Amino acid sequence: DTEVTQTPKHLVMGMTNKKSLKCEQHMGHRAMYWYKQKAKKPPELMFVYSYEKLSINESVPSRFSPECPNSSLLNLHLHALQPEDSALYLCASSQAWGGYNEQFFGPGTRLTVL
Amino acid sequence: KNEVEQSPQNLTAQEGEFITINCSYSVGISALHWLQQHPGGGIVSLFMLSSGKKKHGRLIATINIQEKHSSLHITASHPRDSAVYICAVKGETSGSRLTFGEGTQLTVNP
């Protein structure tokens, strides 16, 4: 299994809703990432988990809350989002943080905040 | 000036043409990625390289570390190659953090 899966594919939510994005990989990778991508822009790193511990938070607002329950699973909990948070959210994984390790990306979740 | 510059920003080609996309970077790197993204889609990693040249099917990636430059070539282009191609570098001291170029929008017409 050499892929990163993400669910849901699309999500529409109101500003008062609570929802979660899910990412899964079964490649034995120990580093997992969340990126945010706005239209026609490159991805922006949000969070990095290394060995299930949060190692990087790129000053992301607290309305985004990441969670890594185990080495295969990464969640992004969303609460009280703003319309400007509408974007493609990409998950990625790599064998480890650092070193000559390739990042593998998932298909993304297209989020629309009304 | 961005740390990673791609050219051209947009490229239109006819089916069958040979295509080159360029990437220049200004920092020391441990690796360079070429990524592909179809409209509305996720990102596919095409190549990761730190020296020389790699080939996969009709795609060839080269890198010149001394000149801080990489190229992605597509031979015998096809409409299904239409996508955004993104160059991303991993800095020598930045762990696995990637610095992305702005991408090159490629359109291949039949």
Side-chain angles (χ1 to χ4, degrees), chain B residues 21-44:
Chain B
I21 299 170
N22 296 299
C23 175
S24 296
Y25 53 92
S26 56
V27 296
I29 67 167
S30 59
L32 181 144
H33 294 250
W34 280 104
L35 309 167
Q36 180 194 56
Q37 187 170 33
H38 282 99
I43 289 174
V44 174

Side-chain angles (χ1 to χ4, degrees), chain A residues 33 35 37 41-43 45 56 58 88 90 96-103 105-107 110, chain B residues 30-31 33 35 37 40-43 45 48-50 54 90 94-98 100-102:
Chain A
Y33 312 74
Y35 289 90
Q37 187 180 27
K41 289 291 182 186
L45 184 64
I56 291 180
E58 293 286 85
L88 181 69
L90 293 158
W97 171 256
Y100 195 70
N101 291 303
E102 187 171 5
Q103 284 189 34
F105 288 83
R110 175 76 57 190
Chain B
S30 59
H33 294 250
L35 309 167
Q37 187 170 33
I43 289 174
S45 178
M48 184 176 74
L49 65 167
S50 60
K54 284 191 176 180
K90 194 185 301 185
S94 61
S96 292
R97 186 189 303 274
L98 295 176
F100 295 87
E102 291 291 314

Side-chain angles (χ1 to χ4, degrees), chain A residues 30-75:
Chain A
R30 303 314 298 267
M32 295 185 78
Y33 312 74
W34 279 116
Y35 289 90
K36 173 183 177 180
Q37 187 180 27
K38 299 286 271 185
K40 298 192 187 300
K41 289 291 182 186
E44 299 169 26
L45 184 64
M46 300 173 72
F47 302 105
V48 179
Y49 273 83
S50 178
Y51 288 87
E52 295 144 60
K53 287 187 167 45
L54 183 65
S55 60
I56 291 180
N57 176 344
E58 293 286 85
S59 303
V60 179
S62 60
R63 58 185 184 268
F64 295 90
S65 174
E67 179 198 18
C68 189
N70 61 58
S71 60
S72 301
L73 192 54
L74 185 66
N75 297 320

Side-chain angles (χ1 to χ4, degrees), chain B residues 46-66:
Chain B
L46 300 175
F47 296 103
M48 184 176 74
L49 65 167
S50 60
S51 65
K53 177 177 169 177
K54 284 191 176 180
K55 184 174 190 289
H56 185 254
R58 295 180 295 106
L59 301 177
I60 303 166
T62 63
I63 188 168
N64 185 319
I65 295 292
Q66 287 72 31

